[in-house]
């Protein structure tokens, strides 16, 4: 019998994890490309993270994603970090390379890949709302992609200040911190405007950024990180202004494409993944 009942193992360690739809898009890609692999959501508590990583090593996993609350803590259990993960200080994808387990961060690269479908970010000015983990990953990657100026607009000063310092000290981008005043007007010089806050995420589906949409020019590219629902209020308002838009599904799909390439070496088709994701999210 010529059988192989031993799939390559990949997955996600997080808590909670039951509602993480990444499994649907990754396994759709595995099936579509005939990759003999599985992706398994594992609910791992912070106290058991070390055991979970040792288990993955013992079982010969190819790697795994980490989500909340493990993106920083996992670093203690790894052998090294990729360049951007090291700058960002957080890992969302762990990759086995020989006997070493290396942490990468694909959130930012997924976003930049989606952005490149509409514009080359080199030399542009970006206004980004939010300064949490996702904003940090994406701003660092945008800076590495050659963005000239990054205006970080955030409600709390304390979260935004370290991000702006990091960008100014460790990258070639020129970063500026702006407190978020009501009816904030995006600077005229902005080429790309990004919602990296959680405003608009299900169930807050009608959540609206406190910005003056009249300052958003049709020439600006407007992106939203929110994957569910992808057509956020901000995306719809920007489209009404005539802007080109990017939704959070594109970012999620593209970071998955990069992760699968790390684990399997295969360049998978993003359209298959986007379709699977849209199906499970019902959008
Ligand atoms: P964090 O909790 O680390 O950061 C949240 C950010 O949103 C903070 O800057 C916070 O500001 C801001 N914020 C939240 N509520 C408000 C509000 N009412 N008004 C103003 N600012 C607000 O989250 P993450 O950075 O990890 O994630 C942010 C979003 O990005 C999430 O919704 C997540 O779903 C999405 N995401 C999407 C991905 C994709 O692939 N599409 C990948 C990763 C994340 P403050 O500092 O003042 O509290």
């Amino acid at each position: 019998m010529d059988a192989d009942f031993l799939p390559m193992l990949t997955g996600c360690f997080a808590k909670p994890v039951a509602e993480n739809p990444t499994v649907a898009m990754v396994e759709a890609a595995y099936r579509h490309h005939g990759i003999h692999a599985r992706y398994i959501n594992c609910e791992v508590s912070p106290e058991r993270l070390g055991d979970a990583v040792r288990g993955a090593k013992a079982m010969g996993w190819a790697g795994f994603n980490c989500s909340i609350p493990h993106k920083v803590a996992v670093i203690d259990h790894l052998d090294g970090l990729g360049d951007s993960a090291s700058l960002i200080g957080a890992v969302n994808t762990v990759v086995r390379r020989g006997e070493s387990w290396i942490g990468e961060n694909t959130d930012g690269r997924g976003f930049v890949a989606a952005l490149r479908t509409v514009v080359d970010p080199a030399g542009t000015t970006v206004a980004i709302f939010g300064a949490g983990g996702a904003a940090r990953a994406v701003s660092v990657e945008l800076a590495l992609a050659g963005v000239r100026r990054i205006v970080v607009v955030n409600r709390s000063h304390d979260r935004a200040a370290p991000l702006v310092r990091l960008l100014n000290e460790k990258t070639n981008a020129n970063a500026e911190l702006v407190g978020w005043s009501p009816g904030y007007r995006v600077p005229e010089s902005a080429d790309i405007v990004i919602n990296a806050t959680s405003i608009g995420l299900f169930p807050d589906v009608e959540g609206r950024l406190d910005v003056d949409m009249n300052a958003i020019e049709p020439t600006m590219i407007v992106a939203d990180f929110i994957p569910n629902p992808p057509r956020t209020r901000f995306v719809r308002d920007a489209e009404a202004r005539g802007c080109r838009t990017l939704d959070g599904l594109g970012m999620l799909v593209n970071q998955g494409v990069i992760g699968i390439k790390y684990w399997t070496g295969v360049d998978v088709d993003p359209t298959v993944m986007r379709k699977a994701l849209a199906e499970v999210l019902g959008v």
Side-chain angles (χ1 to χ4, degrees), residues 23-40:
V23 53
M25 70 171 194
V26 173
E27 292 215 324
Y30 288 165
R31 280 192 301 276
H32 179 78
H33 292 277
I35 300 168
H36 189 30
R38 295 298 311 273
Y39 186 99
I40 302 160

Side-chain angles (χ1 to χ4, degrees), residues 39-121:
Y39 186 99
I40 302 160
N41 273 342
C42 301
E43 187 152 281
V44 175
S45 59
E47 317 80 72
R48 307 308 294 269
L49 179 62
D51 290 340
V53 176
R54 280 188 290 280
K57 290 179 181 176
M59 289 185 277
W61 282 42
F64 53 90
N65 288 130
C66 290
S67 194
I68 291 169
H70 304 314
K71 286 186 174 186
V72 176
V74 75
I75 294 172
D76 286 344
H77 305 286
L78 303 178
D79 301 305
L81 296 179
D83 289 345
S84 55
S86 160
L87 269 180
I88 295 161
V91 163
N92 78 333
T93 305
V94 174
V95 188
R96 191 186 72 211
R97 295 202 180 110
E99 289 305 306
S100 295
W101 288 68
I102 305 298
E104 299 282 356
N105 198 311
T106 64
D107 278 337
R109 262 177 279 167
F111 178 79
V112 172
L115 183 63
R116 281 193 201 283
T117 62
V118 291
V119 72
D120 177 358

Side-chain angles (χ1 to χ4, degrees), residues 130-134 154-156 159 180 196-199 225-226 248 251-252:
N154 200 51
R155 188 175 55 176
S156 77
R159 187 118 72 144
W180 194 336
T197 73
S198 37
I199 299 169
F225 282 11
I226 302 297
M251 173 177 175
L252 192 55

